[in-house]
């Protein structure tokens, strides 16, 4: 059985809702899934076949820097060869934070398993379906 992790940070609950949809999609595709709220500590990703990371746009369209960014930075080096996917919500801007984050992942040598998913504010039906598809892509 494939094993996946969904690691996220959420301020308003929108990205948390997306994380749960991602987990639902991975479970429906047959994976055992752990959903982990990022708190700034390192998460051991070595035992996972696929890992999804979720973070909303913060400040000037950037990753949350106190709790999420340290978790992402610590995990990045251990993700080579794994299925990786990114998602998050935003309330302003045009998704620049996700394009920057995708570039950071590619600069680290990671190959994304699917297109990233972004939702404006709370995920709507389309974003829910995209999150579930993202979760399935981890399996």
């Amino acid at each position: 059985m494939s094993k996946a992790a969904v690691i996220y940070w959420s301020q308003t609950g929108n990205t948390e809702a997306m994380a749960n949809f991602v987990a639902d999609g991975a479970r429906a595709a047959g994976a055992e899934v752990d959903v982990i709220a990022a708190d700034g500590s390192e998460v051991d990703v070595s035992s996972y076949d696929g890992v999804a990371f979720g973070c909303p746009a913060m400040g000037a369209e950037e990753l949350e820097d106190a709790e999420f960014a340290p978790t992402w930075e610590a995990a990045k080096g251990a993700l080579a060869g794994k299925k990786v996917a990114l998602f998050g919500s935003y309330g302003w801007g045009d998704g620049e934070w996700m394009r920057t984050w995708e570039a950071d992942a590619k600069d680290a040598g990671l190959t994304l398993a699917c297109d990233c998913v972004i939702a404006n504010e709370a995920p709507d039906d389309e974003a829910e379906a995209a999150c579930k598809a993202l979760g399935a892509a981890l399996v």
Side-chain angles (χ1 to χ4, degrees), residues 8-41:
Y8 74 94
W9 185 87
S10 189
Q11 182 173 18
T12 64
N14 294 337
T15 301
E16 180 177 11
M18 294 176 78
N20 289 321
F21 292 141
V22 170
D24 290 345
R27 284 186 192 106
E32 177 185 323
V33 183
D34 292 329
V35 179
I36 303 162
D39 63 3
S41 60

Side-chain angles (χ1 to χ4, degrees), residues 74-99:
K76 215 167 33 175
L79 295 170
K82 295 184 183 297
K83 293 181 178 183
V84 177
L86 308 177
F87 66 94
S89 62
Y90 67 102
W92 62 90
D94 66 355
E96 179 184 350
W97 104 101
M98 186 59 73
R99 292 189 298 276

